[in-house]
Amino acid sequence: MAPPLSYPDNDFEAQSWQHLQDLVFRETWDARLGRYRSPFVYRGMRSFGYTLSTSLQRLGGNYHELEHHLLRNFRKYARDTTTPPSATVWDWLALAQHHGLPTRLLDWTYSPYVALHFATDDLHAYHQDGIIWALNYVKAAEQLPPALQGVLAREGSNVFTTELLAPAAPSLLALQELQQEPFVLFLEPPSLDARIVHQYALFSLMSTPEAVLHHWLAAHPELFFRIRIPASLKWEVRDKLDQANITERVLMPGLGGLSRWLHRHYSSAQGRPAAGEGAETPG
């Protein structure tokens, strides 16, 4: 694993469950509305050392040359789908990401608790600190090319749907050609199944396959913050999420999610003290 990224002015470490609540809901007050409406989307990962590289980038080699071929073959052989003939490249890309094809998309959620779930769902990683990335998608939209900003302004939105994006950028190449400098946009996928809906999910999408989101964010520090979840706090976070019904059974409806929840729920804490203070981690 590469050395952890360092963003000293953007990193916070949760000291307790209550402190974690303050951190995940920081900067969510919207004075214009007089409401707590978060401009952030969240991504939770089990290890603090994990970056925002995409599954396509993790293929290695000349991965950027493979993107077109991966998607072309996925469309060719994906015969057991209900995708209509009018589906755009963005519909196919979202479907491919949803089913595990290496793509340039990254999964995010509007819910900080869903992000916390994915930072604490793997009991084998409880010896590692977890992480929550929070990215201001409202401000990020201000970095878009004028043509895309215009689309969002006319729609009164800060994120794209597949049908909203397609007329302005009908292909991956067309998206890249909108602006020389890389940019990120957020894409709400169609409701492919209950999992997309229950996870309050959306995708980030860089304008080129080579652009790396965490490098891009380093040049835009005003757009994000990160929360470190110490390994010693993970058990308390996990147990309280379970009590709040933020579990695999809910987020991944079906027998697979049910089985994953039951497996984790009945796994031993391996000597963890009853009190949260000084809790031991498995293994």
Side-chain angles (χ1 to χ4, degrees), residues 25 32 35-36 42 62 73 85 97 118 121 123 134 138 140 154 172 193 198 210 216 228 237-238 241 250 268 277:
F25 290 106
R32 297 170 304 167
R35 301 285 295 275
Y36 287 92
Y42 306 88
N62 296 323
N73 281 290
Q97 169 74 7
F118 288 110
D121 68 333
L123 299 186
V138 177
R154 289 189 292 274
L172 290 167
D193 63 16
H198 289 202
E210 300 98 326
W216 188 85
R228 188 177 196 130
V237 173
R238 184 64 265 166
L241 288 176
V250 174
S268 170
E277 195 97 21

Side-chain angles (χ1 to χ4, degrees), residues 107-129:
D107 297 289
W108 296 78
T109 174
Y110 291 109
S111 168
Y113 285 159
V114 172
L116 283 172
H117 167 81
F118 288 110
T120 59
D121 68 333
D122 185 355
L123 299 186
H124 297 293
Y126 270 39
H127 63 291
Q128 302 175 22
D129 293 353

Side-chain angles (χ1 to χ4, degrees), residues 7 10-14 20 23-26 40-50 52 108-120 129-135 217 224-230 234 237 241:
Y7 305 97
N10 296 70
D11 285 348
F12 302 86
E13 181 168 331
L20 180 59
L23 290 175
V24 295
F25 290 106
R26 69 189 299 268
F40 292 96
V41 290
Y42 306 88
R43 179 172 171 83
M45 292 185 285
R46 63 198 60 167
S47 173
F48 188 79
Y50 284 5
L52 296 179
W108 296 78
T109 174
Y110 291 109
S111 168
Y113 285 159
V114 172
L116 283 172
H117 167 81
F118 288 110
T120 59
D129 293 353
I131 185 172
I132 300 293
W133 290 77
L135 201 165
L217 287 174
F224 79 102
F225 64 89
R226 305 193 307 170
I227 303 170
R228 188 177 196 130
I229 305 170
K234 276 189 171 181
V237 173
L241 288 176

Side-chain angles (χ1 to χ4, degrees), residues 143-208:
Q143 306 294 324
L144 291 171
L148 294 183
Q149 289 193 43
V151 171
L152 291 179
R154 289 189 292 274
E155 185 68 16
S157 179
N158 296 298
V159 300
F160 288 91
T161 61
T162 57
E163 63 181 9
L164 192 61
L165 181 58
S171 68
L172 290 167
L173 181 59
L175 181 73
Q176 181 172 331
E177 291 177 342
L178 286 175
Q179 181 172 288
Q180 185 174 359
E181 291 297 315
F183 58 89
V184 64
L185 62 83
F186 284 91
L187 181 68
E188 291 182 338
S191 297
L192 300 170
D193 63 16
R195 187 171 59 164
I196 289 285
V197 177
H198 289 202
Q199 293 179 15
Y200 211 176
L202 71 165
F203 300 130
S204 66
L205 168 65
M206 295 299 294
S207 55
T208 72

